[in-house]
Amino acid sequence: MRLHRLFIFFTLLFSNSLIAQIDNILVTKNVEDIRLQIEALDDSKVEEIISLSNILYKIAFENEDPKGMIDALTYLSIANLNSGNNNLAIEYLQNASDIAFKGKLKDENILITNLIGNHYFDIEEYDKSSAAYSKALSMAEAINKPSYVSVIKTNLAFIKLRTGDYRTALKELKASEDELLTNPYGRTPKRVNTGIMLFNARISEAYIKLNLLDSALYANDKGLSYTKKIKVDNVHIDLLMHRGIIFKNKKDYANALLFLNQAKDLCYEANDIIFLGKILNLIGECKLELEKYTEAIDILSESQEILTKKYSNSDEISKCYKLLGQAYKKNGDLEKSNLYYEKHILSLSKLNNKKSLASRKVQDITLSDFKNEINTLENQKQQQKNRLTYSQIGLLIVGIGLIMVVLFFQKAKKKNKTKFEALLAKIEIQENENAASIQVNDKVINSSIIDTKDVVLESQSKELEISDELYEQILIGLEKIESQEYYLKTECNLYNVAKKINTNTSYLSKVINAHFGKNFNTYINDLRINYAIVRLKNESKFRSYSIKSIAEEVGYKSADSFTKYFKIHTGLLPSFYIKQLKSKSPS
């Protein structure tokens, strides 16, 4: 979410169409008057902020004042951020960064780069966000600015929170709060109080992710107590929203709706739509649990309208489609339910293609489950249409269908047995050749058993732009990751692997693309599935585990994810593979 803007200077934008209309105002206003007027305005007064910021930019441009231009661009960036124009907001900041670099304004460049990271964080592009924060941190450390270093390290903790490293994020956020209280680096009491509110909002979120709901409620109480001292609408909204989530997770839907509706009302009052789509989704989810399906549809339709206009790449639009599919199904409208399940699948595919690798960790969802749901809905619709007038034909079709299903499964079973024998033969050949790259319980696995190549690679650049020394260093690091079996941990993602081998996500991704001919996720999935098929073959005890336990052993957070990738890489379901192994070796 967009709470990071509380850690940076105000600023931003330039619009030629408005400048012609405001020349007369310049006669009566000086720079300081305009600046004070902008800072006195509520964030909801977007048009007024943009108008005054354009005046400020014009004056600074004519006076060749780079700091003034940077301030104006920053004001305009935040105004566009509040109105949902994310790409424009980032573009303005990049222009401001260019001005700061050319003018050798190091402090301003650090703050702008940090703000760019905030904006990328807001639109869930965590790799770009992390890169911007790392750049800002290097610049801050180079000129020995401990106050800047403190803020940027906190932002990096936010990245960990959103990419699944909840415990580390929680520890670092608590440390940041303690540091703010003991050494505020000259911040005003208002900024210190705002920081404490923000820290407790994020600490509460971390506890929710860890399902420690009472601890989450305690942190949330602490954050909300500061809303009586200072007015910061977006943090207040965030705290109310997460309080609603806490009660929703406790299945106390009455209290959940109480706080979520308060958050929604404050969004409208403050003209802040950043959280609104997510809040409406949460309200719709509560209505579904309470079996108020028509109300849920109304709320979720409002959410859909907001999200498709302003945040079409967000996870929330996909969630909205899924909830609408469920609501229409419960309400008996199978046609619309089918429509929204299809939209849900399409939006997930789009997100998986466009989202940064770090944020994909947050959404490890099996698309096939929802395709099966659509097929079920289609069957239900057909049955409803034919039940009265074609019941006899329907019975005949069902009979024929059952015969076809039996024949289909017999054929599929035979085909799967052929695949199983081929896979087993391949494993045994590799073991006999002793061409090992990974070992499981003294049994040899060669990565060529499963060696997937991606047609479309993440890095589109034909030139690596990486030194041979760094290339080799990254490959050595990957060998250690493989030998230490780090890929079997659930927290194994691009960001954490890059950190472990002392490089950045961009270089790591490029080397994997160039050396292995595959993307990072494919590389990790190949390692996991290779490990699973060999260990299952050679270890009878492992074959007795549940699919969920096997999935967790090899690094997946759910049985569905493991099943999906096992099927993709081997052509077999893990349950079938295990059953065939047991039939060959009953002991």
Side-chain angles (χ1 to χ4, degrees), residues 216-269:
L217 197 59
Y218 176 81
N220 192 268
D221 283 337
K222 185 177 177 181
L224 281 172
S225 69
Y226 280 83
T227 62
K228 299 172 184 177
K229 301 177 183 179
I230 52 173
K231 178 179 169 61
V232 186
D233 287 334
N234 59 337
V235 187
H236 193 176
I237 292 166
D238 181 80
L239 286 161
L240 289 171
M241 179 182 71
H242 279 92
R243 196 172 189 83
I245 294 172
I246 292 167
F247 284 109
K248 180 181 75 70
N249 290 0
K250 285 175 172 278
K251 300 191 183 301
D252 183 352
Y253 299 114
N255 272 318
L257 286 170
L258 173 67
F259 292 108
L260 290 171
N261 279 309
Q262 286 180 18
K264 181 189 74 171
D265 292 343
L266 188 53
C267 281
Y268 285 123
E269 180 185 328

Side-chain angles (χ1 to χ4, degrees), residues 111-218:
L111 295 168
I112 293 164
T113 305
N114 182 64
L115 183 54
I116 290 171
N118 295 344
H119 284 9
Y120 277 124
F121 183 94
D122 294 335
I123 57 178
E124 301 173 357
E125 294 194 19
Y126 299 129
D127 283 341
K128 291 181 180 179
S129 177
S130 177
Y133 289 147
S134 297
K135 181 180 178 182
L137 183 62
S138 297
M139 290 191 290
E141 289 174 339
I143 63 172
N144 193 24
K145 285 284 185 176
S147 61
Y148 293 171
V149 170
S150 173
V151 169
I152 298 164
K153 283 185 175 179
T154 299
N155 289 340
L156 287 167
F158 291 163
I159 292 266
K160 293 175 184 176
L161 175 60
R162 293 299 168 80
T163 55
D165 193 358
Y166 307 129
R167 294 192 182 278
T168 304
L170 183 61
K171 181 180 177 181
E172 292 180 4
L173 287 167
K174 286 182 175 180
S176 293
E177 183 185 15
D178 291 341
E179 183 182 5
L180 178 63
L181 291 169
T182 56
N183 191 355
Y185 296 109
R187 295 182 179 92
T188 64
K190 179 179 179 180
R191 289 190 65 198
V192 171
N193 288 338
T194 300
I196 294 170
M197 283 175 65
L198 178 58
F199 284 132
N200 280 281
R202 297 285 67 78
I203 289 168
S204 176
E205 182 182 345
Y207 278 128
I208 290 170
K209 295 294 187 183
L210 293 167
N211 202 32
L212 300 172
L213 300 181
D214 290 335
S215 297
L217 197 59
Y218 176 81

Side-chain angles (χ1 to χ4, degrees), residues 305-359:
E305 183 177 358
I306 291 167
L307 291 168
T308 50
K309 283 182 180 178
K310 297 294 184 181
Y311 303 103
S312 60
N313 286 336
S314 168
D315 284 337
E316 290 302 321
I317 186 63
S318 180
K319 181 179 178 181
C320 181
Y321 290 146
K322 177 184 171 183
L323 291 171
L324 277 167
Q326 292 172 349
Y328 276 115
K329 181 181 178 182
K330 293 290 187 180
N331 217 30
D333 191 336
L334 299 179
E335 187 170 352
K336 283 191 176 179
S337 178
N338 183 42
L339 171 67
Y340 280 108
Y341 273 123
E342 286 179 345
K343 285 187 175 184
H344 173 59
I345 288 175
L346 289 172
S347 65
L348 279 180
S349 300
K350 181 181 177 184
L351 286 170
N352 283 334
N353 288 331
K354 297 182 73 173
K355 285 172 78 70
S356 64
L357 292 171
S359 63

Side-chain angles (χ1 to χ4, degrees), residues 530-549:
N530 273 315
Y531 178 94
I533 61 177
V534 173
R535 185 174 171 189
L536 285 167
K537 172 184 175 294
N538 295 319
E539 188 178 319
S540 60
K541 184 179 179 181
F542 195 46
R543 294 196 291 272
S544 69
Y545 288 10
S546 68
I547 298 297
K548 184 176 186 295
S549 296

Side-chain angles (χ1 to χ4, degrees), residues 12 68 111 132 170 272 285 321 350 361 394 403 411 435 485 495 581 587:
L12 235 244
L111 295 168
L170 183 61
D272 190 337
E285 199 171 348
Y321 290 146
K350 181 181 177 184
K361 179 179 171 65
I403 294 170
K411 183 177 179 181
E485 296 180 349
Y495 176 81
L581 288 171
S587 60

Side-chain angles (χ1 to χ4, degrees), residues 393-406:
I393 296 175
L395 288 172
L396 180 61
I397 291 172
V398 169
I400 295 171
L402 287 172
I403 294 170
M404 292 179 68
V405 166
V406 170

Side-chain angles (χ1 to χ4, degrees), residues 423 426-427 430 444-451 530 533-534:
L423 179 60
K426 193 171 184 181
I427 296 171
Q430 294 298 335
V444 178
I445 308 173
N446 189 288
S447 58
S448 65
I449 295 172
I450 301 295
D451 187 16
N530 273 315
I533 61 177
V534 173

